[in-house]
Amino acid sequence: MYSDKVIDHFTNPRNVGVIADADGVGEKVSASCGDRMKIFLKVSDGVIEDIKFQTYGCGAAIASSSMMSELVVGKTLEQALALTNDDVAAALDGLPAPKMHCSNLAADALHEAIKNYQDKG
Amino acid sequence: MKRIYLDNNATTAVRTEVLEAMLPFYREQFGNPSSIHWAGRSVSEAVEEARERVARLLNARPEEIVFTSCGSESNSLALRGSVDFFEARDRHVITTAVEHPAVLNSVRFLEKQGVAVTVLPVDGDGLVDLEQLEVAIRPDTILISAMWGNNETGTLFPVAEIGAIARRHKIRFHTDAVQAIGRVPVDVQAAEVDLLSLSGHKFGAPKGVGALYVRKGTGLTPLIHGGHQERGRRAGTLNVPGIVGLGVASELATADLDRQVPRIRALRDRLEAGILSRISEVRVNGHRQQRLPNTLNVSFAYIEGEAILLFLDMQGVAASSGSACMSDSFGNSHVIDAMGVDPMMANSSIRFGLGPDTDEEDIDFVLEILPPIIKKLRDMSPFYSEKAAG
């Protein structure tokens, strides 16, 4: 049901945790299943220097949070804002169809964190 | 990696004795039991022997057993067959909020056809209020359908009391006993049951065979029309190997009540006590005493069920979850929801279903691997860290 990449990121999620002095914090909750992702960013010169996440949800929710964090660390905010949920799913070699609309929220949560950072600016 | 199967409420392995009894009915004794020649006659005898065995299991008469293809068909036949039988009058059906989808969706279908329906709520343990049941009974009530043991939590309804109420009001009583067979004594006389559903694959017979007990004098309109099989109550050539297997499994189920069930209950209690002592903020779902002896349904705060199952599965342990992520329809388990459990707790519910093959080593292995799994997921959960932060 899940790709090897999903299982890898679910089993050994990258960048789990919090950043106490984060520059931006954002979260997204799935209306359909209650999955929740919380993203913490450290931004320097318009580049995502560090990212941490906390996720409540199924295997797909945890794996997509982890994959998203790997995709955007070291990237500019513009590049991060261009990332879509579908890009994250594709990087995981796909997610089961029922998971695409509930657990695949990582890019949305990231964008909330970036927005929070920019609103502070 | 050792494989540990703790999902016996979903299905069970076919038992060796059952499989051995079935095999001759594929090649050597392949006849149609409806045929009068040599090939059919011996097969017909085997079918009738199986019918007697199923009847003995339930304390019923052989002619009261109708073979079906599964528990869902038995439930559909009981409900739709009853409602159709009373087609000349106003019809009201009472059921409960925690029934299997085979009952609830049959009832919803009937509702669309104009049948009046009352779905009784349950309390936090998953039990119905019998006074509320009596109040729900109307002059046009034709049927009460209430399950024997719940498939998700294991909670046992007081079927004998429900049966007595139905009898007093001269209403037929159907019970879905699919989970109860082989786990608790099931006696259709003691419980005053008129219709009872069972399914072979839940107790060591193969998938694709079930039965409906139909008390003598209980009229039913068939779902499947055709030949005269099963005294006109269910057409279609009989699934002979499956029926033979169901017969043998029924005999074993009766013996199991003394031989296996006390052992399985002790193992389930060991698992429950072990989880409660090793992991904080855990909720056992279902009635702690009135419960199937093989079933443990437990919720872990702050995390989600599918993620727990995936980690268990990676270490060879098969269990089940009522998580929203596990259902096709996206919504938490209707059973846990009906019990008024907090949605986040419902979403993390895990069902362990022990069986005849479960041993102490299996349970101790689960108790060893589960706490680190829960800790790992809680360490990832925003709810858990927010709670820790106060």
Side-chain angles (χ1 to χ4, degrees), chain A residues 11 36 54-55 59 99, chain B residues 304 306 330 376 380 385-386:
Chain A
T11 318
R36 179 178 169 213
Q54 291 182 319
T55 290
K99 302 286 186 183
Chain B
E304 186 278 332
E306 190 221 59
F330 293 114
K376 180 168 180 161
M380 256 186 255
S385 74
E386 284 158 9

Side-chain angles (χ1 to χ4, degrees), chain A residues 10-113:
Chain A
F10 167 69
T11 318
N12 303 296
R14 284 62 143 174
N15 303 307
V16 172
V18 298
I19 299 173
D21 59 342
D23 298 321
V25 180
E27 67 169 76
K28 186 81 185 172
V29 177
S30 161
S32 55
C33 64
D35 282 359
R36 179 178 169 213
M37 293 176 193
K38 196 169 176 184
I39 309 295
F40 303 83
L41 294 178
K42 204 73 190 150
V43 180
S44 173
D45 291 335
V47 170
I48 297 177
E49 209 168 51
D50 194 11
I51 177 167
K52 293 271 187 264
F53 79 87
Q54 291 182 319
T55 290
Y56 163 84
C58 63
I62 290 167
S64 56
S65 310
S66 169
M67 176 55 88
M68 177 279 292
S69 73
E70 274 207 329
L71 288 173
V72 300
V73 70
K75 297 282 162 56
T76 65
L77 294 180
E78 286 68 33
Q79 288 171 317
L81 283 167
L83 185 80
T84 66
N85 291 333
D86 285 350
D87 293 338
V88 176
L92 287 166
D93 292 339
L95 287 170
K99 302 286 186 183
M100 287 298 279
H101 301 293
C102 64
S103 309
N104 190 21
L105 306 165
D108 292 349
L110 168 71
H111 297 163
E112 291 298 321

